[in-house]
Amino acid sequence: KVLRAARDRRGAIDFETVETRIIFDDQRKIEAIVPVVRNDAHKLIEECMLAANEAVCRELTKRGRLLIHRIHEEPDPEKLADLEETLQMAGFEAGDLTLRRNLQHVLREIDRTDQGHAWTGAVLRAFKRAKYSAQCVGHYGLGKSHYCHFTSPIRRYPDLIVHRVLKALVN
């Protein structure tokens, strides 16, 4: 909870998305699709992974190592202005969405509605996509100045590069 609160103070943008699990019957036919509930243990693991990713990136950058960063550039102000207008027409109190606290507020407001999933998608479309880069420009969505994928549960090639750079440093 302390890590999550610190992330909120930094202005991290939290998108509550619902993951689902598919349940199959004995004939391997889909029986049900159920939401996966994220409990405190899941949230703790996520916060620790984010902290580890940031710590590895900061240390490797401080030591002058080249690595592949996971970056998320700031959104285009015009797209945010359009989104603000759309949200206000739909009855949300958006305010100036270039201010992180207003984005956080409107996302919490959106989450309380039955159409939250659709509105979250609209907000996501106003943002630039996260990507990999040799340049350390920070991660807007997470509110971090340094970030790389080190703990990603999906081992992508950029993640493995970070592992190799860190292993070379340790050795």
Side-chain angles (χ1 to χ4, degrees):
K1 289 178 182 174
V2 170
L3 291 170
R4 179 65 229 184
R7 190 157 42 126
D8 287 343
R9 282 192 304 277
R10 276 195 320 274
I13 309 302
D14 191 23
F15 292 101
E16 284 296 323
T17 57
V18 177
E19 292 186 36
T20 57
R21 186 168 59 100
I22 300 173
I23 300 173
F24 297 94
D25 64 18
D26 294 338
Q27 287 74 44
R28 302 294 296 155
K29 302 277 186 207
I30 295 176
E31 186 174 291
I33 300 175
V34 297
V36 175
V37 178
R38 286 177 13 139
N39 61 31
D40 286 343
H42 293 114
K43 293 173 185 176
L44 175 61
I45 291 167
E46 179 182 355
E47 292 300 329
C48 289
M49 288 173 56
L50 292 171
N53 290 339
E54 180 181 24
V56 166
C57 186
R58 281 186 182 282
E59 187 63 24
L60 292 176
T61 300
K62 181 176 87 177
R63 293 180 181 241
R65 302 291 201 237
L66 296 176
L67 69 144
I68 299 175
H69 301 267
R70 184 68 173 168
I71 66 167
H72 185 222
E73 298 168 297
E74 292 195 17
D76 180 337
E78 285 184 30
K79 282 190 175 189
L80 288 178
D82 291 345
L83 175 63
E84 178 186 332
E85 186 178 322
T86 301
L87 289 170
Q88 286 177 340
M89 286 190 302
F92 294 103
E93 293 180 33
D96 179 0
L97 295 182
T98 61
L99 302 174
R100 287 176 177 272
R101 69 177 180 274
N102 290 348
L103 260 172
Q104 289 172 318
H105 170 77
V106 79
L107 284 170
R108 283 190 297 272
E109 198 177 324
I110 284 170
D111 280 344
R112 289 192 283 269
T113 69
D114 293 336
Q115 304 85 19
H117 182 71
W119 284 110
T120 297
V123 174
L124 276 171
R125 284 188 295 279
F127 285 10
K128 294 180 181 176
R129 296 179 71 114
K131 60 186 178 183
Y132 291 100
S133 173
Q135 304 303 312
C136 183
V137 299
H139 196 292
Y140 175 81
L142 296 174
K144 293 186 178 284
S145 61
H146 290 75
Y147 194 72
C148 69
H149 272 177
F150 170 70
T151 63
S152 177
I154 302 168
R155 291 288 171 234
R156 297 179 182 100
Y157 191 66
D159 309 358
L160 297 175
I161 296 293
V162 173
H163 286 217
R164 290 175 185 162
V165 171
L166 185 61
K167 185 176 179 182
L169 178 66
V170 170
N171 289 337

